[in-house]
Amino acid sequence: MIQGKLGTLVGRSSGYIESLPAPVRRRVAGLKGIQQEHSKLEAEFQEEVLELEKKYFAKYTPLYQKRSSIVNGAAEPTDEEVEAGKQDDEDEENEDADKEEAEEDEKKETSTEPMNGIPEFWLSAMKNLGTLAELITDKDEPALRLITDIRMEYLDRPGFRLIFEFPENDFFTNKTITKTYFYQEESGYGGDFIYDHAEGDTIDWKAGKDLTVRIESKKQRNKSKIL
Amino acid sequence: MIQGKLGTLVGRSSGYIESLPAPVRRRVAGLKGIQQEHSKLEAEFQEEVLELEKKYFAKYTPLYQKRSSIVNGAAEPTDEEVEAGKQDDEDEENEDADKEEAEEDEKKETSTEPMNGIPEFWLSAMKNLGTLAELITDKDEPALRLITDIRMEYLDRPGFRLIFEFPENDFFTNKTITKTYFYQEESGYGGDFIYDHAEGDTIDWKAGKDLTVRIESKKQRNKSKIL
């Protein structure tokens, strides 16, 4: 938790070090040499953390697959999963309110058509994440509400890829749209991975459906220029 | 790098979920149950990261001990350590400037008394760390420049202890002053350790030397009140 912070205390220079007598400056240079050994160990540590992240990612994956099946209506959750989820809610909510809700449900059910899976799950999820919500405009929503899955995968080099999965739709022909985040091969001071750049797929918009094009009805200020 | 973020997307509620028909709400409850399994795995992941931190802390410790010996004049760095440290500098600096410096050193050496270790190493380090520098007042410096070592140790429960080591001094009788940071036994959403509270040692100030007491020369506004 703290050793990274202690590490950053060493190795900074202002005019102070230069003003010291030579034997002291030699010791400071020696500490910098020792700090290099420390940095090598920190880079090894970050490599091991990444391996651990990958190990756990493999453990999370079946849960993500279950989620995807439920969201898209390919499977229903088990009673155990539902009970565990309800107990989670009851920690926060009032039980009486739950009962009233249940009665209300019965009324709703008779008046509502059957729904497959959880409609608009990913759009709702994204709109619940503050920083992401700010980026979503009304114009984006018709496409984003179609998302059937968002997945991540690690690259062979430092970095990861986000995969957005879509069904057949009116906007573009892509079945998936991915964005890949590349990190530098050399780790930084303290062993951290350093972000390099990201690359996104080209979206194959259907004719007239490009949501990134702003259609403006411009008034001609000076018609004579056209003529 | 990213799975923690994906995890936080699930489990938030506004009025939206309550407005859904019962079969959909059952699926959402099921996802919350699945999310609980995810959270358990995340807590295991954080435990494993902590074990990894402890493993590397053991690897860093000999380097910290070497640093302490050099800082306090108990040992000199090896030529290899000095060379490695100088090469580090040369990546940033101009070689000619280095030569000039070396010539200047010789002059300095004849006019300077020998110095033990690296004087004021820890005060300099702390003043190079922005957030810490802001907390250090002129009044603190005479005590802080005496620090011979700053160490960290893990607790048997979640948390760590900072140990500040002092020589015999005019201000207090403590040989070490420690501050211990306690984290909660139960990990939070996403498996993170949650800070609970910190406890600091009592400082045994010598008579009249308490640096935390502000001595003000108050004017008596109404002398009659004393009589």
Side-chain angles (χ1 to χ4, degrees):
Chain A
M1 292 178 224
I2 197 73
Q3 67 239 36
K5 294 286 168 206
L6 289 179
T8 61
L9 291 172
V10 182
R12 308 226 188 156
S13 163
S14 53
Y16 175 69
I17 290 168
E18 289 69 20
S19 75
L20 294 168
V24 179
R25 289 235 306 284
R26 184 177 182 278
R27 290 172 201 136
V28 172
L31 289 197
K32 286 186 182 173
I34 292 170
Q35 182 62 23
Q36 282 182 13
E37 294 176 53
H38 194 276
S39 296
K40 271 179 220 156
L41 289 172
E42 283 179 308
E44 282 175 34
F45 168 74
Q46 293 294 351
E47 282 291 340
E48 286 209 51
V49 170
L50 180 59
E51 285 317 303
L52 210 53
E53 286 188 352
K54 288 179 180 174
K55 174 179 138 186
Y56 274 84
F57 184 68
K59 294 185 184 206
Y60 300 143
T61 299
L63 300 178
Y64 297 148
Q65 286 165 345
K66 262 192 202 175
R67 176 178 65 194
S68 173
S69 302
I70 294 166
V71 164
N72 296 302
E76 293 294 337
T78 66
D79 287 341
E80 290 72 29
E81 286 160 354
V82 173
E83 270 318 300
K86 277 188 181 165
Q87 275 184 324
D88 208 36
D89 280 345
E90 275 164 25
D91 293 347
E92 292 154 36
E93 283 171 35
N94 179 313
E95 279 212 38
D96 287 343
D98 273 4
K99 264 184 209 165
E100 276 173 45
E101 246 179 59
E103 282 161 32
E104 229 181 285
D105 286 347
E106 285 171 43
K107 288 177 221 160
K108 268 189 209 158
E109 261 171 286
T110 53
S111 62
T112 323
E113 300 172 42
M115 274 185 184
N116 234 352
I118 303 176
E120 301 183 20
F121 174 81
W122 284 107
L123 177 60
S124 305
M126 287 193 283
K127 286 170 82 173
N128 271 325
L129 195 67
T131 47
L132 209 49
E134 284 170 26
L135 301 172
I136 300 171
T137 68
D138 290 349
K139 266 179 69 185
D140 301 318
E141 294 200 10
L144 295 182
R145 77 175 92 241
L146 303 174
I147 293 174
T148 51
D149 202 20
I150 301 180
R151 285 194 310 279
M152 193 273 287
E153 64 186 23
Y154 288 103
L155 311 183
D156 291 330
R157 49 166 289 175
F160 62 90
R161 177 173 296 123
L162 293 181
I163 303 164
F164 299 82
E165 211 171 75
F166 291 87
E168 192 86 47
N169 68 75
D170 292 342
F171 301 99
F172 41 76
T173 57
N174 310 56
K175 286 279 176 296
T176 62
I177 298 176
T178 74
K179 186 147 182 178
T180 307
Y181 295 82
F182 296 94
Y183 283 66
Q184 294 178 19
E185 292 285 351
E186 284 283 302
S187 53
Y189 197 87
D192 286 334
F193 292 99
I194 304 168
Y195 171 74
D196 194 76
H197 72 286
E199 290 171 18
D201 281 349
T202 303
I203 302 174
D204 303 314
W205 298 102
K206 294 187 177 173
K209 293 291 190 174
D210 188 339
L211 294 170
T212 67
V213 171
R214 198 184 291 260
I215 299 154
E216 282 176 43
S217 54
K218 269 191 196 168
K219 277 192 192 164
Q220 297 295 340
R221 281 194 192 151
N222 189 353
K223 280 205 165 180
S224 64
K225 276 203 175 164
I226 293 176
L227 303 171
Chain B
M1 294 176 224
I2 197 72
Q3 67 238 38
K5 295 286 167 207
L6 289 178
T8 61
L9 291 172
V10 182
R12 308 225 187 154
S13 163
S14 53
Y16 175 69
I17 290 167
E18 290 68 21
S19 75
L20 295 167
V24 179
R25 288 234 306 284
R26 185 178 181 277
R27 289 171 201 137
V28 172
L31 288 197
K32 285 185 181 173
I34 292 170
Q35 183 62 23
Q36 282 182 14
E37 294 175 53
H38 194 277
S39 295
K40 272 179 219 157
L41 288 173
E42 283 180 308
E44 282 175 35
F45 169 72
Q46 293 294 350
E47 282 291 341
E48 285 209 53
V49 170
L50 180 59
E51 286 316 304
L52 209 54
E53 287 188 351
K54 288 180 181 174
K55 174 179 136 185
Y56 274 85
F57 184 67
K59 294 185 184 207
Y60 300 144
T61 300
L63 300 178
Y64 297 147
Q65 286 164 346
K66 262 192 204 175
R67 176 177 65 194
S68 173
S69 303
I70 294 166
V71 165
N72 296 302
E76 293 294 336
T78 65
D79 288 340
E80 289 72 29
E81 285 159 356
V82 173
E83 270 318 299
K86 276 187 181 166
Q87 275 184 323
D88 209 35
D89 280 346
E90 275 164 26
D91 293 348
E92 293 154 35
E93 283 169 36
N94 178 312
E95 277 212 40
D96 288 341
D98 272 5
K99 265 184 210 166
E100 276 173 44
E101 246 178 60
E103 282 161 32
E104 229 181 285
D105 286 348
E106 284 172 44
K107 288 178 219 159
K108 266 190 210 157
E109 261 173 286
T110 54
S111 62
T112 323
E113 298 172 44
M115 274 185 184
N116 235 353
I118 303 176
E120 301 184 19
F121 174 81
W122 284 107
L123 177 59
S124 306
M126 287 192 285
K127 286 171 82 173
N128 271 326
L129 195 67
T131 48
L132 209 49
E134 285 170 26
L135 300 172
I136 300 173
T137 69
D138 291 348
K139 267 178 68 185
D140 301 319
E141 294 200 10
L144 295 181
R145 75 174 93 241
L146 303 174
I147 293 173
T148 51
D149 202 20
I150 301 179
R151 285 195 308 280
M152 193 274 285
E153 63 186 25
Y154 287 103
L155 312 182
D156 291 330
R157 49 168 289 177
F160 62 89
R161 176 174 296 125
L162 293 181
I163 303 165
F164 299 83
E165 210 171 75
F166 291 87
E168 193 86 47
N169 69 73
D170 291 343
F171 300 101
F172 42 75
T173 58
N174 311 54
K175 287 279 176 297
T176 61
I177 298 176
T178 73
K179 186 145 182 178
T180 308
Y181 295 81
F182 296 95
Y183 283 67
Q184 293 178 20
E185 292 284 351
E186 284 283 301
S187 53
Y189 197 87
D192 286 334
F193 292 99
I194 304 168
Y195 172 73
D196 193 76
H197 72 285
E199 290 172 17
D201 281 350
T202 303
I203 301 175
D204 302 317
W205 298 102
K206 293 185 177 175
K209 293 290 190 175
D210 188 338
L211 294 170
T212 67
V213 170
R214 199 184 290 258
I215 299 156
E216 283 177 40
S217 53
K218 269 191 195 168
K219 277 191 191 164
Q220 296 296 340
R221 278 192 195 153
N222 188 352
K223 279 205 166 180
S224 64
K225 275 202 174 163
I226 292 174
L227 302 172

